[in-house]
Amino acid sequence: RNGLNTIEGRYIMPDNKRVVFRPMRTHVPMDRVVANQTWEALSNAIGEIYNHNASQLSFEELYRNAYNLVLHKHGTLLYEGVSEKISSHLLGTVAKLAEAPNASLLEEMANVWSEHQLTMIMVRDILMYMDRTYVPTQRRRPVYELGLHLFRITVWEHPRVQSRVTELLLNAIADERAGLLTDDRSKLKANLGMLLELGQADYSNVYERDFENLFLGTTQEFYRLESLDYLSRNTATDYVLKAQSRITEEKERSAALSFPPTTESPLQSIVDTELIERHAKTLVDMGGDDSQNSGGFSALLRDAETKLDEMRAMYDLFVRVPSSVDFLRDALSERIKKDGRSLIADQERGASDPSSFVRGVLGMRERYDRVVTNSFRGEKKAMKRMREAFEDFLNADARAASCLAVYVDELLRSGLKGVTDSGVTQELQKVIVVFRYLSDKDVFEAFYKQHLAKRLLGGRSVSDEAERAMVSQLKAECGYQFTSKLEGMFNDMRISRDMRDTYKAHKKNESETGNNNRAVGGTKPIDIEVDVLTNGYWPSQNVPPCTLPSAVQDAVDRFSRFYLEKHTGRKLSWQTSAGAAEIRATFGTDPNKYRRHELCVSTYQMCILVLFNEKETLSLDEIRTKTQIPDMELRRHLISLCTPRHRILRKESKGREVAHNDTFTFNPNYSSKYRRVRIPLVKDTAINRGGDGGAGVATAGGASSSAAEAVATDGAIPAPVEEDRRHLVEAAVVRIMKARKSLHHNDLIAEVTKQLSIRFVPSPQFIKKRIESLIEREYLERAEDDRRVYKYMA
């Protein structure tokens, strides 16, 4: 068939190649006798392997014999024979181990385990065919796993072996922890490796049951006792170093003994719990109350500048237990609040002025910023807690805002003289750091505006660049609306300078044309320099103008006519409380020895002194009637002219207070080594004991300075700022409701707070009052179905 020719039982291929088919040999099954003989050969070979004579064996022959046994259905004979052979050998082995002394038991156990592993590997190679065919079909253990199983139940679980080996392992580790040298970690590693492999081979928990649970329990007890004892006899700093050393030691031991992750992770957790978590609060509080124990984190914070490394070590230890770091953050927060409250207390009782208070805050900020950056490694949560702590004590009242404004005023008056541009920027950035902590930024703005007005009008700024740099910083922080009025003040000063130049040219032109009217009495007209200010930009001063000397009033009238001719429709309101003057005074009784001085005084002081040209002695009532200066400012300016250093007038009564019937007399004996003398204003604490003192800034504008000083002392929100807040809240409510039409009470409170938080944080009660006011004025109404829902009334 298929093109093949059959010749005598042979097939001839078309290409003349021959293929010869011989009859198959008849299958002869292996009988029991031959099978036993074959097993005996294999059994002897296994014995030789145990006797370390494997080199004399032919593994190919042994493999063939095992193959034939399995092939001829004698697999059970082979499997059970191997099991009995291994068990028999292990029984002899365990008998020797049971009698071994403790000193050598671990080493002998490691050797026995190593030999057993090597033997089972060789036996597994010989019986590989049985593992591939017989074992799966009969659901038996593979040969190697069988050997491990037999080793566990025969050797390890022997009553004279397991308990002793476990105890020796635990004792060896305990000796290491006690600082005693161990003979060789390889013995410990080998025995632990044995337990792990025995457990993995037959899915038993021998490692966990016979070692891990006991090991973790003894570890917990050891560190519980050691930590209590060490902490009771050492400082917290020493304890931290000891704990770090122990943690490192346990890591190294885990690596050296090859602990599995199931042991290493609980071990680290136990060490962290006993060494850190259990004593975290104690480590923070130790020495916090100046007790005998020291080195706690709270105590280290008191000397933060020199204890950064110790605090960093404690943080590095605590960070292993994240919940424990909260104790460190709490301690940092409490330390900042305590130091801050101390600064406020000093400021309240007058032990420090506003500038000293701010310098103290800046010093605290720099100190604790280094703590967070170095010791807390720049952790964001620690930064947040530090910010919240500063905000807590700085926003207790409006005191910090007013003090910061005074500090900035001091910087921009004289504190930045000779400082480079980079230095100016650095100092102003420090101010902005504290400014960010303030919630009452509108209070700072109010006082800053008052101080800025005095600097600009008095020409006392260290430089225009520094002034504008500060405004730029505020603008970057709070936006354009916050600084729009401040920038308007600078613009007014620029326009005023141009106006003065124009007025000078005007007067010169009148002089040349002969139209320059003489002043009252035919004397030469008085020169005045006028700053024309936009009413909405500058701090409002509701102080009526005083009665000026006739010559000065004449100069004022001439400027008014000039200005109003150029700017029709405008109105000038003269602020005599904010002016300054230079007057020439002659002292002495001998006409040949007169002393002439130029006195730099405020407008009020000028008005008072000019009165003494007509009469040498005047009473308080006479001066008040002729000048119309407000009573408190009159008393303040009179005392300024009666100080021991600048006694231009003599006061009849003694002391700094001005009696209601006091009289004042011109002092011709006044003298000074300077021709040009500036007469500063005194602080008004002695004049107004009702609480208007505190800031003590010697300026020419008495009315506005009193308001600033009041807040510096009692911390209350100034009335003008409170009024502005009412308008801002109402405007925000109307703006939101106009856009939303209808809104729930809580949502409206949240929206208003969010919009106004850049200037101040209104309380819910304050917002509620403004809402009620708007409802009364019919801007809003309540929904009929829900009284907590507001509707906008168009």
Side-chain angles (χ1 to χ4, degrees):
R1 295 176 182 176
N2 299 327
L4 297 178
N5 297 321
T6 303
I7 302 176
E8 295 179 354
R10 292 178 294 180
Y11 293 94
I12 301 176
M13 300 294 291
D15 55 358
N16 297 326
K17 292 184 178 180
R18 294 181 177 182
V19 177
V20 180
F21 294 94
R22 291 186 175 88
M24 294 183 64
R25 294 192 303 183
T26 305
H27 174 71
V28 180
M30 180 183 293
D31 59 15
R32 188 72 179 177
V33 176
V34 175
N36 288 332
Q37 292 175 351
T38 304
W39 160 241
E40 285 298 327
L42 287 172
S43 176
N44 293 333
I46 293 174
E48 292 300 321
I49 292 174
Y50 272 122
N51 293 329
H52 307 290
N53 294 323
S55 59
Q56 301 176 7
L57 302 175
S58 171
F59 278 81
E60 182 180 356
E61 181 180 350
L62 295 174
Y63 178 85
R64 188 181 303 113
N65 288 340
Y67 173 84
N68 289 331
L69 284 174
V70 175
L71 186 67
H72 291 87
K73 309 301 182 183
H74 295 291
T76 302
L77 172 67
L78 178 60
Y79 189 89
E80 292 179 354
V82 169
S83 177
E84 291 176 3
K85 184 68 175 178
I86 294 173
S87 298
S88 176
H89 176 78
L90 291 177
L91 286 172
T93 300
V94 75
K96 296 178 182 179
L97 285 176
E99 300 301 323
N102 289 345
S104 61
L105 180 58
L106 289 181
E107 182 176 4
E108 291 187 25
M109 189 70 178
N111 293 335
V112 167
W113 168 247
S114 177
E115 291 177 3
H116 181 70
Q117 278 184 305
L118 183 61
T119 299
M120 292 311 304
I121 290 172
M122 293 181 179
V123 173
R124 180 186 62 190
D125 293 343
I126 293 171
L127 305 179
M128 190 179 300
Y129 184 74
M130 183 179 71
D131 276 348
R132 289 205 307 263
T133 56
Y134 175 79
V135 168
T137 58
Q138 300 299 317
R139 296 184 178 180
R140 299 289 186 95
R141 288 187 175 92
V143 173
Y144 186 80
E145 294 181 5
L146 173 65
L148 299 186
H149 171 72
L150 294 174
F151 189 91
R152 177 175 67 81
I153 62 175
T154 305
V155 178
W156 175 249
E157 294 183 353
H158 191 280
R160 288 279 298 160
V161 174
Q162 181 266 324
S163 58
R164 293 168 63 206
V165 171
T166 299
E167 183 178 0
L168 289 172
L169 289 173
L170 296 176
N171 289 341
I173 294 175
D175 289 342
E176 279 194 10
R177 289 171 176 162
L180 302 177
L181 295 176
T182 55
D183 297 335
D184 189 357
R185 278 182 170 176
S186 61
K187 294 185 296 184
L188 305 181
K189 182 178 179 180
N191 280 272
L192 293 174
M194 172 194 72
L195 293 179
L196 281 171
E197 193 164 355
L198 289 179
Q200 294 169 358
D202 56 0
Y203 304 103
S204 65
N205 61 344
V206 59
Y207 171 80
E208 292 80 4
R209 180 195 67 199
D210 297 336
F211 174 76
E212 184 183 72
N213 293 337
L214 294 172
F215 169 67
L216 295 178
T218 56
T219 298
Q220 184 173 15
E221 182 66 12
F222 172 79
Y223 282 119
R224 185 182 69 83
L225 296 176
E226 183 187 63
S227 61
L228 287 171
D229 178 66
Y230 195 88
L231 194 58
S232 66
R233 296 183 291 105
N234 296 274
T235 65
T237 302
D238 293 336
Y239 179 88
V240 168
L241 297 177
K242 179 69 173 179
Q244 288 283 20
S245 174
R246 282 301 194 188
I247 291 171
T248 303
E249 177 186 317
E250 290 297 334
K251 284 184 178 179
E252 292 176 351
R253 184 179 297 110
S254 295
L257 300 183
S258 298
F259 282 150
T262 55
T263 301
E264 189 172 2
S265 179
L267 174 63
Q268 291 180 3
S269 178
I270 287 172
V271 174
D272 290 344
T273 299
E274 296 301 326
L275 295 184
I276 304 172
E277 186 174 7
R278 192 179 296 276
H279 304 292
K281 189 72 168 64
T282 303
L283 290 171
V284 171
D285 295 339
M286 283 178 67
D289 54 355
D290 298 323
S291 60
Q292 184 177 0
N293 288 326
S294 60
F297 194 81
S298 296
L300 295 176
L301 283 170
R302 291 201 299 266
D303 194 16
E305 295 180 355
T306 60
K307 301 296 184 181
L308 293 175
D309 293 339
E310 289 86 344
M311 288 188 287
R312 181 168 61 246
M314 192 172 293
Y315 172 79
D316 290 342
L317 180 68
F318 277 42
V319 80
R320 296 177 57 85
V321 183
S323 61
S324 298
V325 185
D326 286 336
F327 292 114
L328 301 181
R329 301 187 194 108
D330 291 343
L332 174 66
S333 177
E334 288 303 316
R335 184 75 249 175
I336 293 173
K337 292 177 183 178
K338 185 175 181 180
D339 290 352
R341 287 191 291 267
S342 176
L343 288 177
I344 291 176
D346 290 343
Q347 212 278 324
E348 284 179 343
R349 64 173 180 265
S352 66
D353 57 21
S355 296
S356 298
F357 170 79
V358 176
R359 280 191 288 270
V361 173
L362 290 174
M364 282 179 55
R365 173 60 171 73
E366 185 177 353
R367 180 166 67 253
Y368 292 116
D369 183 64
R370 283 198 298 268
V371 171
V372 172
T373 302
N374 296 323
S375 301
F376 283 85
R377 300 191 180 276
E379 184 194 62
K380 291 185 177 180
K381 289 184 178 179
M383 288 183 176
K384 181 182 178 183
R385 291 300 299 275
M386 179 180 71
R387 185 187 72 248
E388 291 173 347
F390 273 97
E391 290 174 350
D392 179 80
F393 78 84
L394 286 174
N395 293 310
D397 53 34
R399 187 189 322 276
S402 65
C403 290
L404 184 61
V406 172
Y407 175 76
V408 176
D409 180 61
E410 181 184 283
L411 277 183
L412 296 176
R413 280 176 181 269
S414 58
L416 297 178
K417 281 185 179 178
V419 181
T420 61
D421 291 344
S422 60
V424 170
T425 303
Q426 185 176 2
E427 289 297 322
L428 296 182
Q429 284 177 344
K430 291 180 181 178
V431 172
I432 293 299
V433 168
V434 179
F435 176 74
R436 290 194 186 108
Y437 294 142
L438 300 178
S439 60
D440 296 325
K441 291 182 173 61
D442 56 342
V443 176
F444 171 82
E445 179 197 13
F447 294 113
Y448 179 80
K449 188 191 297 184
Q450 291 179 355
H451 292 300
L452 175 62
K454 298 170 193 174
R455 291 195 301 274
L456 294 180
L457 296 177
R460 295 174 184 171
S461 294
V462 68
S463 70
D464 288 343
E465 291 75 12
E467 292 283 3
R468 294 187 180 277
M470 182 63 197
V471 173
S472 297
Q473 295 272 10
L474 294 174
K475 185 176 182 179
E477 193 67 26
C478 297
Y480 169 78
Q481 289 184 343
F482 190 85
T483 59
S484 59
K485 292 184 179 180
L486 302 179
E487 291 176 335
M489 294 167 68
F490 285 103
N491 189 49
D492 280 351
M493 295 305 296
R494 179 183 59 79
I495 295 174
S496 293
R497 283 193 294 270
D498 296 340
M499 179 63 66
R500 285 197 294 269
D501 293 339
T502 304
Y503 185 56
K504 285 180 181 179
H506 170 75
K507 290 194 297 181
K508 183 178 180 181
N509 182 54
E510 282 191 340
S511 177
E512 291 175 352
T513 58
N515 294 327
N516 186 17
N517 296 324
R518 305 298 289 177
V520 176
T523 59
K524 181 181 177 181
I526 291 177
D527 290 331
I528 63 171
E529 293 184 352
V530 182
D531 291 315
V532 182
L533 313 178
T534 304
N535 190 44
Y537 293 155
W538 297 76
S540 59
Q541 299 180 14
N542 299 320
V543 182
C546 66
T547 302
L548 297 171
S550 57
V552 177
Q553 186 62 50
D554 184 57
V556 168
D557 293 338
R558 285 199 306 274
F559 180 84
S560 296
R561 289 194 298 270
F562 162 77
Y563 184 83
L564 295 177
E565 286 176 0
K566 295 180 67 68
H567 302 88
T568 58
R570 294 189 182 181
K571 179 183 178 181
L572 289 178
S573 176
W574 293 88
Q575 300 292 318
T576 54
S577 62
E582 293 181 3
I583 59 177
R584 294 187 180 93
T586 302
F587 298 91
T589 56
D590 186 354
N592 297 323
K593 295 182 180 180
Y594 282 153
R595 298 179 303 280
R596 292 177 174 83
H597 296 283
E598 291 185 3
L599 304 181
C600 300
V601 295
S602 69
T603 302
Y604 284 169
Q605 288 172 327
M606 174 199 69
C607 294
I608 294 169
L609 290 175
V610 169
L611 295 178
F612 289 90
N613 286 333
E614 303 173 357
K615 192 176 180 180
E616 288 192 4
T617 301
L618 293 168
S619 67
L620 176 63
D621 290 338
E622 288 178 311
I623 297 174
R624 184 188 300 116
T625 301
K626 292 183 178 182
T627 61
Q628 296 299 310
I629 298 174
D631 184 68
M632 291 308 303
E633 290 303 317
L634 177 61
R635 293 170 183 266
R636 183 183 181 198
H637 285 73
L638 283 170
I639 289 180
S640 300
L641 296 170
C642 299
T643 60
R645 186 175 180 182
H646 301 288
R647 197 182 301 278
I648 298 173
L649 301 178
R650 287 197 184 101
K651 184 166 64 75
E652 181 182 11
S653 64
K654 302 298 182 181
R656 295 193 62 183
E657 295 186 12
V658 178
H660 69 279
N661 57 350
D662 249 337
T663 59
F664 298 86
T665 305
F666 177 71
N667 178 22
N669 297 323
Y670 171 77
S671 64
S672 175
K673 62 181 179 180
Y674 300 106
R675 179 177 178 81
R676 184 182 177 88
V677 181
R678 179 175 175 270
I679 311 299
L681 287 179
V682 298
K683 297 180 182 180
D684 60 354
T685 53
I687 307 163
N688 183 4
R689 296 183 180 273
D692 287 344
V697 182
T699 66
S704 60
S705 64
S706 297
E709 294 169 13
V711 177
T713 299
D714 59 25
I717 302 295
V721 176
E722 193 76 24
E723 182 66 22
D724 289 342
R725 287 185 174 185
R726 286 195 286 270
H727 297 321
L728 287 171
V729 170
E730 289 180 357
V733 170
V734 172
R735 186 166 54 247
I736 293 168
M737 292 302 300
K738 189 173 182 180
R740 304 286 288 273
K741 304 303 181 185
S742 177
L743 203 60
H744 190 274
H745 174 80
N746 291 340
D747 296 334
L748 180 57
I749 295 289
E751 286 283 346
V752 172
T753 304
K754 181 180 178 182
Q755 287 194 13
L756 298 178
S757 60
I758 195 170
R759 293 183 61 85
F760 69 101
V761 180
S763 65
Q765 295 81 3
F766 186 78
I767 299 174
K768 184 178 180 181
K769 287 182 180 178
R770 303 330 310 156
I771 294 174
E772 295 291 344
S773 176
L774 290 172
I775 292 175
E776 291 175 2
R777 287 178 281 163
E778 298 184 352
Y779 284 92
L780 307 177
E781 65 178 353
R782 298 183 186 272
E784 294 181 359
D785 54 343
D786 188 349
R787 303 290 291 173
R788 292 183 62 81
V789 174
Y790 304 110
K791 291 184 177 181
Y792 178 71
M793 298 176 66

